[in-house]
C-alpha cells in the first residue's frame, strides 16, 4: 500500500487511503456527469478529519505538518477518484481556514475555526478577478475606509466553493499605492453578509463535482474585527497560503497519477491485442516506466517542499512553486499517455480516463499557472543567491 514514504508515516498513508477507497465509485461517476457537489462525500471527509488536517488541534483540527498533510492527501487521492471534492477540500482548508489559523485574531478564530475544521462551514477564497487572473497585482476590488468601517466593492470570479460557501475570505486593495505587499488586505465574513451576491455554479471542462462561481461585492460594510491579520497584510497572507496549497495540491496529483498507473498496469496485463498481452509490448512497458519515473521524481519534489515549509526554510516558496510546476506539467502529460494505451476505450466515459484527464488538466491553471510558477521560481531563487 505504501511506497517511497518513510515507515514512520505508513500508518497515516494507509489510514487515509482506506478513507478514500471506502467511497462507492458509482457515486463519483454520477457526481461528474450531473455536476453535483457530493455532500455525502464531504461529510465523509469531515467525519474523518480531512477538512481540518493542517489546522490547530485547539479548534478541532489534526495539527498535521505540511509533510503529514501531503502524505494524507496523496493517499486519499490514491484511494478516492472524486478529484473535485478533494480539490474543494484542499482549497477550503489551505486557502481559507489555514490563513485564519495562522494570522487571525483569537476572536475570529473562536468564531470561525472550529466550524471550518469540522467541515460544517464551507469556505471560499475570493481573490481572483476577470481582469487580473493569476496577476493579482492588478486587483481592482477595493476596501475604502469610511469612519470605523470599510466599504468593499468589486467582483471576484473563478472562486472554488463560492456557490456553496458559508464563509468567504476576501482580498481587496486598501492602499493601491503600496501594491500587493502592503496595499492588499484580507477580510473574513459570512457569505450571506449584506452586499454579497454569489453566482450560480460555472460549467467547466473538468473537476465537475467542485462548485466554482463568482462573488459580487456592493458596499459590503465591515470593521477591523473582520480583518485577518493586519491592514495591508493580505499579500503576505495569500503568499503563505498558496505555498501550502501548491505543495499539497501537487501531492493530490501524485495520488491521482499512482491510482491511474496502477489501473493501467492491470489493464495492460489483461488486454490482448493480435495475440499478445499489452504488457509484453516494449512501447507499453516504456510508457509505464516513464510514468513511474515521473511518480518518483514528483514525490521527491513534493516532500522536499513540504519539509522546507515545516522547517521555515527560505527556499520553501521556491520549492513549492517548482513542485507545482513539475508535477502539474508532467502529470497531465503522463495521464494523457496512459489514456492512449487504452486506445478507443480510453476515450469512453465508462473508462473513467477521459474524466481523469479533464480533471488533471485544471492543474495547469489553478494555484497559479505554470508561467506564474516560473516567475516565482526565477524571482525567489535569484534573490537567495
Amino acid at each position: 500500500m505504501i511506497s517511497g514514504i518513510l515507515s514512520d508515516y505508513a500508518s497515516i498513508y494507509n489510514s487515509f487511503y482506506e478513507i478514500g477507497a471506502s467511497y462507492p465509485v458509482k457515486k463519483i461517476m454520477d457526481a461528474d456527469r450531473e455536476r453535483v457537489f457530493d455532500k455525502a462525500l464531504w461529510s465523509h471527509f469531515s467525519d474523518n478529519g480531512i477538512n481540518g488536517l493542517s489546522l490547530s488541534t485547539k479548534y478541532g483540527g489534526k495539527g498535521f505538518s505540511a509533510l503529514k498533510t501531503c502524505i494524507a492527501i496523496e493517499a486519499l487521492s490514491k484511494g478516492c477518484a472524486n478529484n473535485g471534492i478533494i480539490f474543494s477540500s484542499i482549497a477550503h482548508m489551505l486557502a481559507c481556514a489555514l490563513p485564519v489559523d495562522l494570522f487571525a485574531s483569537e476572536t475570529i478564530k473562536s468564531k470561525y475555526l472550529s466550524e471550518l475544521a469540522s467541515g460544517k462551514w464551507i469556505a471560499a477564497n475570493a481573490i481572483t478577478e476577470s481582469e487580473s487572473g493569476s496577476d493579482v497585482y492588478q486587483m481592482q476590488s477595493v476596501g475604502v475606509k469610511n469612519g470605523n468601517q470599510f466599504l468593499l466593492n468589486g467582483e471576484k470570479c473563478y472562486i472554488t466553493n463560492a456557490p456553496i460557501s458559508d464563509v468567504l475570505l476576501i482580498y481587496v486593495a486598501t492602499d493601491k499605492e503600496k501594491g500587493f505587499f502592503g496595499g492588499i488586505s484580507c477580510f473574513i465574513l459570512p457569505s450571506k453578509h449584506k452586499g454579497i451576491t454569489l453566482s450560480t455554479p460555472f460549467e467547466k471542462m473538468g473537476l465537475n463535482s467542485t462548485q466554482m462561481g463568482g462573488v459580487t461585492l456592493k458596499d459590503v460594510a465591515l470593521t477591523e474585527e473582520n480583518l485577518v491579520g493586519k491592514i495591508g497584510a493580505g499579500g503576505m497572507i495569500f503568499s503563505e497560503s498558496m505555498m501550502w496549497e501548491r505543495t499539497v495540491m501537487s501531492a493530490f496529483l501524485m495520488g491521482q497519477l499512482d491510482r491511474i498507473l496502477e489501473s493501467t498496469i492491470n489493464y495492460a496485463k489483461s488486454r490482448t491485442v493480435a495475440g499478445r498481452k499489452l504488457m509484453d509490448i516494449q512501447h507499453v512497458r516504456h510508457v509505464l516506466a516513464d510514468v513511474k519515473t515521473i511518480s518518483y521524481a514528483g514525490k521527491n519534489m513534493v516532500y522536499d517542499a513540504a519539509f522546507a515549509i515545516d522547517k521555515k526554510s527560505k527556499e520553501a516558496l521556491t520549492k513549492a512553486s517548482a513542485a507545482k510546476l513539475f508535477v502539474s506539467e508532467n502529470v497531465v502529460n503522463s495521464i494523457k499517455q496512459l489514456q492512449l494505451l487504452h486506445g478507443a476505450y480510453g476515450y469512453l466515459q465508462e473508462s473513467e480516463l477521459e474524466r481523469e484527464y479533464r480533471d488533471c488538466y485544471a492543474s495547469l491553471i489553478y494555484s497559479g499557472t505554470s508561467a506564474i510558477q516560473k516567475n516565482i521560481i526565477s524571482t525567489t531563487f535569484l534573490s537567495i543567491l
Side-chain angles (χ1 to χ4, degrees):
M1 195 71 70
I2 184 167
S3 174
I5 300 174
L6 296 174
S7 59
D8 290 348
Y9 297 102
S11 61
I12 294 175
Y13 186 95
N14 294 334
S15 174
F16 284 91
Y17 173 84
E18 292 300 329
I19 292 168
S22 64
Y23 200 75
V25 173
K26 185 179 184 301
K27 290 186 177 182
I28 296 169
M29 295 172 67
D30 291 343
D32 178 73
R33 293 192 183 104
E34 298 168 13
R35 301 177 182 271
V36 170
F37 179 85
D38 191 335
K39 293 182 179 178
L41 181 54
W42 181 268
S43 296
H44 178 61
F45 283 5
S46 296
D47 292 343
N48 286 282
I50 291 165
N51 292 313
L53 286 177
S54 60
L55 305 181
S56 299
T57 55
K58 177 181 177 180
Y59 295 100
K62 286 189 172 293
F64 276 13
S65 64
L67 183 59
K68 286 183 177 180
T69 301
C70 283
I71 291 170
I73 292 297
E74 181 197 326
L76 181 74
S77 179
K78 172 74 179 297
C80 178
N82 193 323
N83 304 310
I85 299 296
I86 299 174
F87 179 82
S88 283
S89 179
I90 295 171
H92 160 89
M93 175 174 59
L94 299 180
C96 305
L98 186 64
V100 173
D101 199 355
L102 294 178
F103 301 106
S105 66
E106 284 301 320
T107 300
I108 288 177
K109 289 181 183 182
S110 298
K111 182 176 180 179
Y112 290 98
L113 206 50
S114 294
E115 306 292 349
L116 295 176
S118 69
K120 181 179 179 181
W121 290 350
I122 299 174
N125 171 4
I127 190 168
T128 306
E129 299 179 3
S130 60
E131 298 300 317
S132 58
S134 292
D135 185 8
V136 291
Y137 289 84
Q138 302 302 317
M139 184 182 298
Q140 298 301 308
S141 297
V142 295
V144 178
K145 193 76 180 292
N146 182 22
N148 63 348
Q149 290 186 326
F150 289 89
L151 289 180
L152 277 54
N153 284 280
E155 292 190 8
K156 303 292 185 178
C157 62
Y158 314 132
I159 309 304
T160 300
N161 296 335
I164 55 169
S165 66
D166 302 291
V167 175
L168 293 173
L169 208 67
I170 297 180
Y171 292 84
V172 294
T174 47
D175 189 339
K176 288 193 173 184
E177 290 185 2
K178 291 183 178 179
F180 188 69
F181 290 100
I184 303 296
S185 298
C186 177
F187 294 86
I188 189 169
L189 68 160
S191 56
K192 293 182 179 180
H193 191 93
K194 183 179 179 181
I196 295 283
T197 302
L198 305 177
S199 77
T200 56
F202 297 160
E203 293 190 359
K204 310 184 300 300
M205 172 180 169
L207 294 172
N208 287 329
S209 55
T210 292
Q211 300 292 290
M212 176 186 286
V215 177
T216 301
L217 315 171
K218 186 172 178 58
D219 293 332
V220 177
L222 301 174
T223 69
E224 289 197 9
E225 290 185 357
N226 296 94
L227 271 170
V228 176
K230 297 179 180 179
I231 188 76
M236 178 271 294
I237 293 170
F238 180 73
S239 181
E240 180 78 12
S241 68
M242 284 299 100
M243 182 171 64
W244 273 76
E245 182 178 282
R246 288 166 185 144
T247 305
V248 177
M249 283 291 189
S250 298
F252 154 54
L253 288 167
M254 297 316 304
Q256 181 189 13
L257 181 62
D258 275 359
R259 171 164 42 79
I260 298 168
L261 176 59
E262 185 176 283
S263 66
T264 302
I265 290 171
N266 292 333
Y267 176 81
K269 287 178 177 178
S270 63
R271 173 68 168 156
T272 301
V273 177
R276 299 175 66 192
K277 295 289 187 183
L278 276 183
M279 187 59 81
D280 295 332
I281 299 172
Q282 186 181 62
H283 168 71
V284 172
R285 297 176 72 87
H286 282 185
V287 169
L288 297 175
D290 285 342
V291 173
K292 187 61 177 177
T293 302
I294 293 298
S295 176
Y296 283 137
K299 288 178 187 178
N300 278 326
M301 293 187 73
V302 169
Y303 292 115
D304 184 44
F307 186 75
I309 291 172
D310 290 334
K311 295 300 180 182
K312 302 188 184 305
S313 166
K314 63 182 180 181
E315 294 182 282
L317 184 60
T318 309
K319 289 184 174 184
S321 285
K324 169 64 167 58
L325 175 64
F326 179 88
V327 169
S328 60
E329 293 282 348
N330 283 283
V331 166
V332 169
N333 183 61
S334 294
I335 292 178
K336 181 177 74 173
Q337 297 305 318
L338 295 175
Q339 183 183 22
L340 289 171
L341 292 184
H342 289 73
Y345 178 68
Y347 197 67
L348 300 182
Q349 287 187 346
E350 70 178 74
S351 76
E352 289 284 285
L353 284 164
E354 61 85 29
R355 176 185 63 80
E356 298 281 12
Y357 184 69
R358 287 188 286 107
D359 286 350
C360 76
Y361 196 85
S363 69
L364 300 175
I365 303 168
Y366 63 63
S367 303
T369 63
S370 292
I372 291 297
Q373 304 314 319
K374 291 177 183 180
N375 287 347
I376 294 170
I377 294 163
S378 62
T379 300
T380 55
F381 95 84
L382 288 175
S383 69
I384 292 172
L385 295 178

